[in-house]
Amino acid sequence: APFPLAQLRPLLAGPLMSIEDHFPTTGLGGILQAALMQDGIAQPVRMFGPQALMGSDDAEVLLQRAGLDAQSLARRICETIS
């Protein structure tokens, strides 16, 4: 497994989140969730990332469309932990 799950166990008390600049399920969050499930750990991983192809534009515009700009992420993370 790419993750040292034994070392990560103390971190599993709170929500786990990954921020991906591509489809969320194909990044580290998806790999982490699969490794946790394989190890029998029922810990959800909240994955933030684009839900559709983004096309071309300035990076700031693309991040905002995907909900990955600072304000959107702050709001979404606060919603996740509250």
Side-chain angles (χ1 to χ4, degrees), residues 42-66:
Q43 173 74 24
V45 178
R46 176 72 164 97
M47 293 174 257
F48 301 108
Q51 300 300 312
L53 293 175
M54 299 303 298
S56 298
D57 212 325
D58 291 329
E60 289 180 28
V61 172
L62 293 173
L63 290 172
Q64 187 174 25
R65 274 190 216 153

Side-chain angles (χ1 to χ4, degrees), residues 11-55:
L11 303 175
L12 299 180
L16 297 176
M17 295 174 242
S18 78
I19 300 169
E20 310 285 349
D21 63 354
H22 48 79
F23 288 112
T25 55
T26 61
L28 289 176
I31 294 169
L32 174 59
Q33 190 162 44
L36 290 168
M37 289 172 52
Q38 203 169 25
D39 214 42
I41 301 170
Q43 173 74 24
V45 178
R46 176 72 164 97
M47 293 174 257
F48 301 108
Q51 300 300 312
L53 293 175
M54 299 303 298

